[in-house]
Amino acid sequence: MLNYFNYFTEIEDRFQQRRGALLLLSTLDWALIETWREAGIPLEAALRGIDAAFDKYEARQKKARMRKINGLAWCAQAVMEAAEELREAAAGTAKSEPPRESGFEHDRVATHLEAAATALDAATVAPEACTSTAIRLRELAAAVRGGSNAPAEDSAAANDSVAVNNLEALERTLTVLEGKLFAALNAAAPEDLLVRLKEHADRELAPYRSRMGATQIRQVKQQFEQKQLLVHYNLPRLSLFYMSQQ
């Protein structure tokens, strides 16, 4: 069973494998993968969709010269179709248990949270939001390492305990923290920077608009703008999907 944390890397590896040449995924590609993950698209569906898109491309390439596939968005429609096929096939079947993580995974998670907190400490924008987020990340890291001394009746400690034993619950908590952080960054960022990011997103998405629905385009554009905003201020992603695989 595929590891919970391999969603991004498995998709990247499959895309590079089928393309036949090393091509680093762009910020737009990573934003697209994140919209799939947030929409609950199974990894299996993403991989099937990539294969289906390349199979179709290769069949057509034999009949006419076609440009090399240079972006994951080329596979977007096939991925959504594969996800729908999986949903229909799974209707009425029992849900399988998620893979259990080892103790080593917990240590990696705590290290990821602590590193993100350290990066937020050095932030030069939205200091209150960054500081409060860093404090919360260290609380979660302590809970993951088993170092929380809060009493059992403390609701926050109880929630952290749930997160420690359920990485998907922890991921939901991190999603909420990221949402609050993005809101603070958008409020603090200068208007001209936000306009430039939106223009950049529009340019990057332009070649793929015919291959994605309006909802997906809107979601990818939002993810792209958020990622670029973090890059501009040298701030980390909190999601476990950005955790180092080392």
Short mmCIF file of all heavy atoms in Angstrom, two decimals, residues 155-205:
data_model
loop_
_atom_site.label_atom_id
_atom_site.label_comp_id
_atom_site.label_asym_id
_atom_site.label_seq_id
_atom_site.Cartn_x
_atom_site.Cartn_y
_atom_site.Cartn_z
N SER A 155 -8.92 20.57 26.25
CA SER A 155 -9.47 20.22 24.94
C SER A 155 -8.42 20.31 23.84
O SER A 155 -8.40 19.50 22.91
CB SER A 155 -10.66 21.12 24.60
OG SER A 155 -10.27 22.49 24.58
N ALA A 156 -7.54 21.32 23.91
CA ALA A 156 -6.51 21.47 22.89
C ALA A 156 -5.57 20.28 22.93
O ALA A 156 -5.18 19.73 21.89
CB ALA A 156 -5.73 22.77 23.11
N ALA A 157 -5.20 19.85 24.14
CA ALA A 157 -4.31 18.70 24.27
C ALA A 157 -4.99 17.44 23.75
O ALA A 157 -4.36 16.59 23.11
CB ALA A 157 -3.91 18.51 25.73
N ALA A 158 -6.28 17.33 24.01
CA ALA A 158 -7.02 16.17 23.54
C ALA A 158 -7.05 16.14 22.01
O ALA A 158 -6.88 15.09 21.39
CB ALA A 158 -8.44 16.18 24.09
N ASN A 159 -7.27 17.31 21.41
CA ASN A 159 -7.27 17.38 19.95
C ASN A 159 -5.92 17.03 19.38
O ASN A 159 -5.80 16.36 18.36
CB ASN A 159 -7.69 18.78 19.49
CG ASN A 159 -9.15 19.07 19.74
OD1 ASN A 159 -9.95 18.15 19.85
ND2 ASN A 159 -9.50 20.33 19.84
N ASP A 160 -4.86 17.50 20.04
CA ASP A 160 -3.51 17.19 19.58
C ASP A 160 -3.23 15.70 19.68
O ASP A 160 -2.56 15.11 18.84
CB ASP A 160 -2.46 17.96 20.41
CG ASP A 160 -2.49 19.45 20.10
OD1 ASP A 160 -3.19 19.85 19.16
OD2 ASP A 160 -1.82 20.21 20.83
N SER A 161 -3.77 15.07 20.73
CA SER A 161 -3.58 13.63 20.89
C SER A 161 -4.22 12.88 19.75
O SER A 161 -3.68 11.91 19.22
CB SER A 161 -4.18 13.17 22.23
OG SER A 161 -4.07 11.77 22.37
N VAL A 162 -5.39 13.34 19.32
CA VAL A 162 -6.07 12.72 18.17
C VAL A 162 -5.21 12.87 16.93
O VAL A 162 -5.03 11.93 16.14
CB VAL A 162 -7.45 13.37 17.94
CG1 VAL A 162 -8.04 12.91 16.62
CG2 VAL A 162 -8.39 13.02 19.08
N ALA A 163 -4.63 14.06 16.76
CA ALA A 163 -3.81 14.33 15.57
C ALA A 163 -2.58 13.43 15.55
O ALA A 163 -2.17 12.95 14.49
CB ALA A 163 -3.39 15.80 15.54
N VAL A 164 -1.98 13.21 16.72
CA VAL A 164 -0.79 12.37 16.78
C VAL A 164 -1.09 10.97 16.27
O VAL A 164 -0.28 10.34 15.59
CB VAL A 164 -0.26 12.30 18.24
CG1 VAL A 164 0.80 11.21 18.37
CG2 VAL A 164 0.33 13.64 18.65
N ASN A 165 -2.26 10.46 16.61
CA ASN A 165 -2.62 9.10 16.25
C ASN A 165 -3.35 8.99 14.92
O ASN A 165 -3.72 7.91 14.50
CB ASN A 165 -3.47 8.49 17.37
CG ASN A 165 -2.68 8.33 18.66
OD1 ASN A 165 -1.75 7.53 18.73
ND2 ASN A 165 -3.03 9.11 19.66
N ASN A 166 -3.58 10.11 14.27
CA ASN A 166 -4.29 10.12 12.99
C ASN A 166 -3.68 11.24 12.15
O ASN A 166 -3.99 12.42 12.33
CB ASN A 166 -5.78 10.37 13.22
CG ASN A 166 -6.57 10.30 11.92
OD1 ASN A 166 -6.03 10.46 10.83
ND2 ASN A 166 -7.86 10.07 12.04
N LEU A 167 -2.79 10.87 11.23
CA LEU A 167 -2.07 11.87 10.46
C LEU A 167 -3.00 12.67 9.55
O LEU A 167 -2.71 13.83 9.25
CB LEU A 167 -0.96 11.20 9.66
CG LEU A 167 0.17 10.61 10.50
CD1 LEU A 167 1.19 9.91 9.61
CD2 LEU A 167 0.84 11.67 11.35
N GLU A 168 -4.09 12.08 9.14
CA GLU A 168 -5.04 12.84 8.32
C GLU A 168 -5.72 13.92 9.16
O GLU A 168 -6.02 15.01 8.65
CB GLU A 168 -6.07 11.90 7.70
CG GLU A 168 -5.47 10.98 6.64
CD GLU A 168 -6.52 10.21 5.87
OE1 GLU A 168 -7.54 10.83 5.48
OE2 GLU A 168 -6.33 9.00 5.67
N ALA A 169 -5.95 13.64 10.45
CA ALA A 169 -6.52 14.67 11.33
C ALA A 169 -5.51 15.79 11.53
O ALA A 169 -5.87 16.98 11.56
CB ALA A 169 -6.90 14.05 12.68
N LEU A 170 -4.24 15.44 11.67
CA LEU A 170 -3.19 16.45 11.80
C LEU A 170 -3.13 17.29 10.53
O LEU A 170 -2.98 18.52 10.61
CB LEU A 170 -1.84 15.77 12.06
CG LEU A 170 -0.62 16.70 12.10
CD1 LEU A 170 -0.79 17.78 13.15
CD2 LEU A 170 0.65 15.89 12.36
N GLU A 171 -3.24 16.65 9.37
CA GLU A 171 -3.21 17.38 8.11
C GLU A 171 -4.37 18.39 8.04
O GLU A 171 -4.19 19.51 7.55
CB GLU A 171 -3.29 16.40 6.94
CG GLU A 171 -3.31 17.05 5.57
CD GLU A 171 -2.02 17.76 5.22
OE1 GLU A 171 -0.98 17.49 5.83
OE2 GLU A 171 -2.06 18.62 4.31
N ARG A 172 -5.54 18.02 8.55
CA ARG A 172 -6.67 18.96 8.55
C ARG A 172 -6.36 20.16 9.43
O ARG A 172 -6.71 21.29 9.09
CB ARG A 172 -7.94 18.24 9.01
CG ARG A 172 -8.54 17.30 7.96
CD ARG A 172 -9.93 16.85 8.34
NE ARG A 172 -9.90 15.92 9.47
CZ ARG A 172 -9.79 14.61 9.35
NH1 ARG A 172 -9.66 14.06 8.16
NH2 ARG A 172 -9.79 13.83 10.42
N THR A 173 -5.73 19.91 10.58
CA THR A 173 -5.34 21.02 11.46
C THR A 173 -4.36 21.95 10.75
O THR A 173 -4.49 23.18 10.82
CB THR A 173 -4.69 20.47 12.75
OG1 THR A 173 -5.66 19.69 13.46
CG2 THR A 173 -4.22 21.61 13.65
N LEU A 174 -3.39 21.37 10.05
CA LEU A 174 -2.41 22.18 9.33
C LEU A 174 -3.06 22.96 8.20
O LEU A 174 -2.66 24.10 7.90
CB LEU A 174 -1.29 21.29 8.79
CG LEU A 174 -0.44 20.58 9.85
CD1 LEU A 174 0.57 19.66 9.19
CD2 LEU A 174 0.26 21.60 10.75
N THR A 175 -4.08 22.39 7.57
CA THR A 175 -4.80 23.09 6.50
C THR A 175 -5.49 24.33 7.06
O THR A 175 -5.49 25.40 6.42
CB THR A 175 -5.84 22.16 5.85
OG1 THR A 175 -5.17 21.05 5.25
CG2 THR A 175 -6.65 22.89 4.79
N VAL A 176 -6.07 24.20 8.25
CA VAL A 176 -6.72 25.35 8.89
C VAL A 176 -5.68 26.42 9.22
O VAL A 176 -5.90 27.62 8.97
CB VAL A 176 -7.45 24.92 10.18
CG1 VAL A 176 -7.91 26.14 10.97
CG2 VAL A 176 -8.64 24.03 9.83
N LEU A 177 -4.54 26.02 9.76
CA LEU A 177 -3.47 26.97 10.10
C LEU A 177 -2.97 27.68 8.84
O LEU A 177 -2.72 28.89 8.85
CB LEU A 177 -2.32 26.26 10.80
CG LEU A 177 -2.59 25.73 12.21
CD1 LEU A 177 -1.39 24.96 12.73
CD2 LEU A 177 -2.94 26.87 13.16
N GLU A 178 -2.81 26.92 7.75
CA GLU A 178 -2.35 27.53 6.50
C GLU A 178 -3.37 28.53 5.98
O GLU A 178 -3.01 29.60 5.49
CB GLU A 178 -2.11 26.45 5.44
CG GLU A 178 -0.75 25.79 5.53
CD GLU A 178 -0.37 25.08 4.23
OE1 GLU A 178 -1.28 24.74 3.45
OE2 GLU A 178 0.84 24.87 4.01
N GLY A 179 -4.65 28.18 6.10
CA GLY A 179 -5.69 29.09 5.64
C GLY A 179 -5.64 30.42 6.37
O GLY A 179 -5.76 31.49 5.76
N LYS A 180 -5.46 30.36 7.69
CA LYS A 180 -5.36 31.59 8.48
C LYS A 180 -4.11 32.38 8.11
O LYS A 180 -4.14 33.62 8.03
CB LYS A 180 -5.34 31.25 9.97
CG LYS A 180 -6.65 30.69 10.52
CD LYS A 180 -6.54 30.41 12.00
CE LYS A 180 -7.86 29.93 12.57
NZ LYS A 180 -7.76 29.65 14.03
N LEU A 181 -3.01 31.65 7.88
CA LEU A 181 -1.76 32.32 7.52
C LEU A 181 -1.88 33.01 6.16
O LEU A 181 -1.44 34.15 5.99
CB LEU A 181 -0.62 31.30 7.50
CG LEU A 181 0.79 31.84 7.23
CD1 LEU A 181 1.18 32.87 8.28
CD2 LEU A 181 1.80 30.70 7.20
N PHE A 182 -2.48 32.34 5.19
CA PHE A 182 -2.66 32.93 3.87
C PHE A 182 -3.52 34.20 3.96
O PHE A 182 -3.26 35.19 3.27
CB PHE A 182 -3.31 31.94 2.91
CG PHE A 182 -2.38 30.89 2.39
CD1 PHE A 182 -2.75 29.56 2.36
CD2 PHE A 182 -1.12 31.24 1.92
CE1 PHE A 182 -1.89 28.59 1.88
CE2 PHE A 182 -0.25 30.27 1.43
CZ PHE A 182 -0.63 28.94 1.41
N ALA A 183 -4.56 34.15 4.78
CA ALA A 183 -5.43 35.32 4.94
C ALA A 183 -4.64 36.51 5.48
O ALA A 183 -4.80 37.65 5.02
CB ALA A 183 -6.60 34.98 5.87
N ALA A 184 -3.77 36.25 6.46
CA ALA A 184 -2.96 37.31 7.04
C ALA A 184 -1.96 37.85 6.03
O ALA A 184 -1.72 39.07 5.96
CB ALA A 184 -2.23 36.79 8.28
N LEU A 185 -1.35 36.97 5.25
CA LEU A 185 -0.38 37.40 4.24
C LEU A 185 -1.05 38.24 3.16
O LEU A 185 -0.50 39.25 2.71
CB LEU A 185 0.29 36.19 3.61
CG LEU A 185 1.22 35.38 4.50
CD1 LEU A 185 1.76 34.17 3.75
CD2 LEU A 185 2.37 36.24 5.01
N ASN A 186 -2.23 37.83 2.72
CA ASN A 186 -2.96 38.60 1.71
C ASN A 186 -3.32 39.99 2.22
O ASN A 186 -3.29 40.96 1.46
CB ASN A 186 -4.23 37.86 1.29
CG ASN A 186 -4.00 36.89 0.15
OD1 ASN A 186 -3.73 37.30 -0.98
ND2 ASN A 186 -4.08 35.61 0.44
N ALA A 187 -3.65 40.07 3.50
CA ALA A 187 -4.00 41.37 4.08
C ALA A 187 -2.78 42.27 4.22
O ALA A 187 -2.89 43.49 4.09
CB ALA A 187 -4.65 41.16 5.45
N ALA A 188 -1.62 41.66 4.45
CA ALA A 188 -0.40 42.45 4.67
C ALA A 188 0.36 42.76 3.39
O ALA A 188 1.11 43.74 3.33
CB ALA A 188 0.52 41.68 5.64
N ALA A 189 0.19 41.94 2.35
CA ALA A 189 0.95 42.12 1.11
C ALA A 189 0.51 43.37 0.37
O ALA A 189 -0.68 43.71 0.35
CB ALA A 189 0.79 40.90 0.22
N PRO A 190 1.44 44.08 -0.26
CA PRO A 190 1.06 45.27 -1.04
C PRO A 190 0.22 44.90 -2.25
O PRO A 190 0.35 43.82 -2.82
CB PRO A 190 2.42 45.86 -1.46
CG PRO A 190 3.39 44.73 -1.36
CD PRO A 190 2.90 43.86 -0.26
N GLU A 191 -0.62 45.83 -2.64
CA GLU A 191 -1.56 45.57 -3.74
C GLU A 191 -0.85 45.22 -5.03
O GLU A 191 -1.27 44.30 -5.75
CB GLU A 191 -2.42 46.82 -3.95
CG GLU A 191 -3.46 46.70 -5.05
CD GLU A 191 -4.28 47.96 -5.21
OE1 GLU A 191 -4.61 48.59 -4.18
OE2 GLU A 191 -4.57 48.32 -6.36
N ASP A 192 0.24 45.91 -5.35
CA ASP A 192 0.92 45.66 -6.62
C ASP A 192 1.51 44.25 -6.68
O ASP A 192 1.54 43.63 -7.75
CB ASP A 192 2.00 46.71 -6.88
CG ASP A 192 3.11 46.67 -5.83
OD1 ASP A 192 2.83 46.35 -4.66
OD2 ASP A 192 4.27 46.95 -6.19
N LEU A 193 1.95 43.71 -5.54
CA LEU A 193 2.47 42.34 -5.51
C LEU A 193 1.36 41.34 -5.82
O LEU A 193 1.55 40.42 -6.63
CB LEU A 193 3.08 42.04 -4.13
CG LEU A 193 3.47 40.58 -3.89
CD1 LEU A 193 4.54 40.13 -4.89
CD2 LEU A 193 3.96 40.39 -2.46
N LEU A 194 0.20 41.52 -5.20
CA LEU A 194 -0.92 40.61 -5.43
C LEU A 194 -1.38 40.66 -6.89
O LEU A 194 -1.72 39.63 -7.48
CB LEU A 194 -2.07 40.94 -4.49
CG LEU A 194 -1.76 40.79 -2.99
CD1 LEU A 194 -2.97 41.21 -2.16
CD2 LEU A 194 -1.37 39.36 -2.67
N VAL A 195 -1.38 41.85 -7.47
CA VAL A 195 -1.77 41.99 -8.88
C VAL A 195 -0.78 41.25 -9.77
O VAL A 195 -1.17 40.55 -10.71
CB VAL A 195 -1.85 43.48 -9.27
CG1 VAL A 195 -2.01 43.63 -10.80
CG2 VAL A 195 -3.02 44.15 -8.56
N ARG A 196 0.52 41.39 -9.48
CA ARG A 196 1.55 40.70 -10.28
C ARG A 196 1.39 39.18 -10.20
O ARG A 196 1.55 38.47 -11.20
CB ARG A 196 2.95 41.10 -9.83
CG ARG A 196 3.34 42.53 -10.17
CD ARG A 196 4.85 42.70 -10.17
NE ARG A 196 5.45 42.29 -8.91
CZ ARG A 196 5.60 43.08 -7.84
NH1 ARG A 196 5.14 44.33 -7.89
NH2 ARG A 196 6.17 42.63 -6.75
N LEU A 197 1.07 38.68 -9.01
CA LEU A 197 0.90 37.25 -8.84
C LEU A 197 -0.30 36.72 -9.64
O LEU A 197 -0.24 35.65 -10.23
CB LEU A 197 0.74 36.90 -7.35
CG LEU A 197 1.97 37.14 -6.46
CD1 LEU A 197 1.67 36.71 -5.04
CD2 LEU A 197 3.18 36.39 -6.99
N LYS A 198 -1.39 37.51 -9.64
CA LYS A 198 -2.56 37.11 -10.41
C LYS A 198 -2.27 37.12 -11.91
O LYS A 198 -2.70 36.23 -12.65
CB LYS A 198 -3.74 38.04 -10.10
CG LYS A 198 -4.31 37.85 -8.70
CD LYS A 198 -5.52 38.73 -8.45
CE LYS A 198 -6.08 38.54 -7.06
NZ LYS A 198 -6.56 37.14 -6.84
N GLU A 199 -1.53 38.13 -12.36
CA GLU A 199 -1.18 38.19 -13.78
C GLU A 199 -0.28 37.02 -14.16
O GLU A 199 -0.43 36.43 -15.24
CB GLU A 199 -0.48 39.52 -14.07
CG GLU A 199 -1.41 40.73 -13.97
CD GLU A 199 -0.67 42.04 -14.11
OE1 GLU A 199 0.58 42.03 -13.98
OE2 GLU A 199 -1.32 43.07 -14.34
N HIS A 200 0.66 36.69 -13.27
CA HIS A 200 1.56 35.56 -13.51
C HIS A 200 0.76 34.26 -13.61
O HIS A 200 0.99 33.43 -14.51
CB HIS A 200 2.58 35.47 -12.37
CG HIS A 200 3.65 34.46 -12.60
ND1 HIS A 200 4.57 34.10 -11.63
CD2 HIS A 200 3.95 33.68 -13.68
CE1 HIS A 200 5.37 33.18 -12.11
NE2 HIS A 200 5.03 32.91 -13.34
N ALA A 201 -0.19 34.07 -12.71
CA ALA A 201 -1.03 32.87 -12.72
C ALA A 201 -1.82 32.77 -14.01
O ALA A 201 -1.93 31.69 -14.61
CB ALA A 201 -1.97 32.88 -11.51
N ASP A 202 -2.38 33.88 -14.47
CA ASP A 202 -3.16 33.88 -15.71
C ASP A 202 -2.30 33.47 -16.90
O ASP A 202 -2.74 32.71 -17.77
CB ASP A 202 -3.78 35.26 -15.95
CG ASP A 202 -4.95 35.55 -15.02
OD1 ASP A 202 -5.58 34.58 -14.56
OD2 ASP A 202 -5.23 36.73 -14.76
N ARG A 203 -1.06 33.99 -16.94
CA ARG A 203 -0.17 33.64 -18.05
C ARG A 203 0.17 32.15 -18.04
O ARG A 203 0.21 31.49 -19.07
CB ARG A 203 1.11 34.47 -17.99
CG ARG A 203 0.94 35.94 -18.35
CD ARG A 203 2.28 36.60 -18.60
NE ARG A 203 3.16 36.53 -17.44
CZ ARG A 203 3.19 37.44 -16.47
NH1 ARG A 203 2.37 38.48 -16.53
NH2 ARG A 203 4.03 37.32 -15.46
N GLU A 204 0.45 31.62 -16.85
CA GLU A 204 0.84 30.21 -16.74
C GLU A 204 -0.33 29.28 -17.10
O GLU A 204 -0.13 28.20 -17.67
CB GLU A 204 1.31 29.92 -15.32
CG GLU A 204 2.63 30.59 -14.94
CD GLU A 204 3.80 30.00 -15.69
OE1 GLU A 204 3.81 28.78 -15.93
OE2 GLU A 204 4.73 30.77 -16.04
N LEU A 205 -1.53 29.68 -16.75
CA LEU A 205 -2.71 28.84 -16.98
C LEU A 205 -3.25 28.92 -18.40
O LEU A 205 -3.96 28.02 -18.85
CB LEU A 205 -3.82 29.22 -16.00
CG LEU A 205 -3.78 28.58 -14.62
CD1 LEU A 205 -4.73 29.29 -13.67
CD2 LEU A 205 -4.15 27.10 -14.72
#
